[in-house]
Amino acid sequence: MTWHVKPPGSKWDEIVFVELGGNQIEIKSVKNPAPADSSVRIGLPRLALLADDLDKTLAFLKTKGIDAVGPVRSANGPGGSKLKMAEIKDPDGLSIELMERSY
């Protein structure tokens, strides 16, 4: 479930709430953010989310107009796990890492 709020008289342009697997993520869009190449950064430089099935997650996001940036990558994770990772960008150009972990 996803819903948007545009709070009047706020420094936020929009607040988006995304519910994923019983967890809620709140994403705030700042009015007049610093340019992406600026040394001034607002918020997190990167957020990582764990996905049960990365391929299905990417397919769902594609239906919403969100494409991965670059190819899906693989790596060795903690405890002998295997990671599949993909990056997407938020509306301000900040990176969001999506990861699937298998053992």
Side-chain angles (χ1 to χ4, degrees):
M1 175 186 290
T2 304
W3 64 99
H4 302 252
V5 176
K6 292 190 176 242
S10 170
K11 65 181 176 181
W12 308 114
D13 184 41
E14 180 177 28
I15 302 173
V16 179
F17 298 91
V18 181
E19 198 169 301
L20 298 167
N23 295 304
Q24 181 176 298
I25 299 167
E26 179 180 320
I27 304 168
K28 295 178 178 176
S29 175
V30 179
K31 291 179 183 175
N32 304 313
D37 62 350
S38 168
S39 62
V40 176
R41 299 302 293 181
I42 297 172
L44 299 170
R46 175 169 292 206
L47 172 70
L49 302 172
L50 194 58
D52 290 333
D53 185 318
L54 185 61
D55 295 327
K56 284 184 180 178
T57 300
L58 291 172
F60 171 77
L61 291 171
K62 190 169 188 70
T63 69
K64 303 298 182 189
I66 301 169
D67 289 313
V69 177
V72 173
R73 303 173 315 284
S74 297
N76 292 322
S81 64
K82 301 292 183 192
L83 300 175
K84 280 176 55 176
M85 301 167 288
E87 179 184 348
I88 59 173
K89 297 282 187 177
D90 79 356
D92 294 322
L94 298 175
S95 295
I96 299 173
E97 185 92 42
L98 303 173
M99 294 192 295
E100 175 187 327
R101 183 171 48 207
S102 60
Y103 293 95

